[in-house]
Amino acid sequence: MRRKLVVGNWKMHGSLAQNKALITSVTAGLRDLDNADFAVCVPAPYLSQAQSLLQGTNVAWGGQNVSQHEYGAYTGAVSARMLADFGCTYALIGHSERRVLIHETNTTAAASFGMALKAGLTPIFCVGETLEERQAGVSEAVVASQMIAILNTLGMDVLSKAVQLRAVIAYEPSWAIGTGRTATPEQAQAMHVFIRKQIAERDASVAGRVRILYGGSVNPSNASQLFVMPDIDGGLIGRCSLNPDEFIEICRTACETSAVAG
Ligand code: 13P
């Protein structure tokens, strides 16, 4: 059975003082929970703080973005090796906000995925369609093209390595991000099955092991309906990851739904 995973994406929020208070509350609240995995992806300047406050706890940490390049003259970019230097376990890749606002493409996301693996990081590869794409009935085609970018560009060897590193896919329809409008559990489950099928066509055992998270307005009230779905292996949480009580509640729900599924 796949173990559930809840990842907080703080996005561009926080300060040294706020982070300390948030991490202190979250780690205290999660201390006794052990049948799911937890992590937070923090802004790059706070990686050192996350490392010093989270090491030795059951909450891992990660970056929100990885450069497609290994090193070089790319002002403002953060390399996979830099994230590894600060003890990151995870790296978000291809988040829709970066695809839309910073014009990251399937090609750059695939290259970043390869860089993350090379540095020993676990990539959390984000896919999802926009509202216009859903309304036009092309959601599956869009997600398939995002998946193909990693499956075909990197090849099965890389994909097997990705699975050893417990690579994660996150389905985040951008119309559900920060809007309060969540995909229904049935909509999310259907897309998760579709994503798993894309992988199964190449390798069924890899498909069975990859964790697929749902992201987009997950909150303590809707988490359990989402997490009980058989192909939803946890959540990628934006707004509610900034509120310790809400984040802890969502993590608790992941543990409870794991127990039910088990
Ligand atoms: P919200 O939970 O705020 O909708 O954000 C989801 C997200 O983008 C996580 O990466």
Side-chain angles (χ1 to χ4, degrees), residues 11 95-97 99-100 127-134 142 146 171-181 214-217:
K11 307 192 179 183
H95 191 280
S96 68
E97 284 153 12
R99 289 179 189 264
V100 172
V127 297
E129 79 285 1
T130 63
L131 183 58
E132 295 71 35
E133 289 162 344
R134 178 154 282 263
V142 169
Q146 294 164 340
Y171 170 55
E172 294 208 309
S174 61
W175 49 271
I177 296 178
T179 58
R181 186 177 165 184
Y214 168 76
S217 298

Side-chain angles (χ1 to χ4, degrees), residues 129-153:
E129 79 285 1
T130 63
L131 183 58
E132 295 71 35
E133 289 162 344
R134 178 154 282 263
Q135 285 168 341
V138 295
S139 307
E140 287 192 351
V142 169
V143 170
S145 70
Q146 294 164 340
M147 290 299 298
I148 284 166
I150 46 163
L151 297 176
N152 286 5
T153 313

Side-chain angles (χ1 to χ4, degrees), residues 45-87:
Y46 298 128
L47 283 168
S48 170
Q49 184 192 27
Q51 181 177 34
S52 68
L53 293 176
L54 289 171
Q55 61 195 349
T57 75
N58 61 347
V59 181
W61 59 98
Q64 297 178 3
N65 162 48
V66 178
S67 171
Q68 69 196 101
H69 304 287
E70 196 157 12
Y71 55 85
Y74 304 105
T75 301
V78 176
S79 77
R81 207 160 292 284
M82 292 171 188
L83 297 183
D85 257 351
F86 286 96

Side-chain angles (χ1 to χ4, degrees), residues 218-255:
V218 177
N219 62 44
S221 315
N222 60 27
S224 69
Q225 292 133 289
L226 289 160
F227 294 172
V228 291
M229 298 312 258
D231 285 278
I232 299 183
D233 304 316
L236 182 52
I237 318 299
R239 190 185 53 80
C240 288
S241 70
L242 300 172
N243 176 315
D245 294 339
E246 291 182 327
F247 189 64
I248 291 164
E249 193 51 41
I250 293 168
C251 292
R252 198 172 284 285
T253 301
C255 293

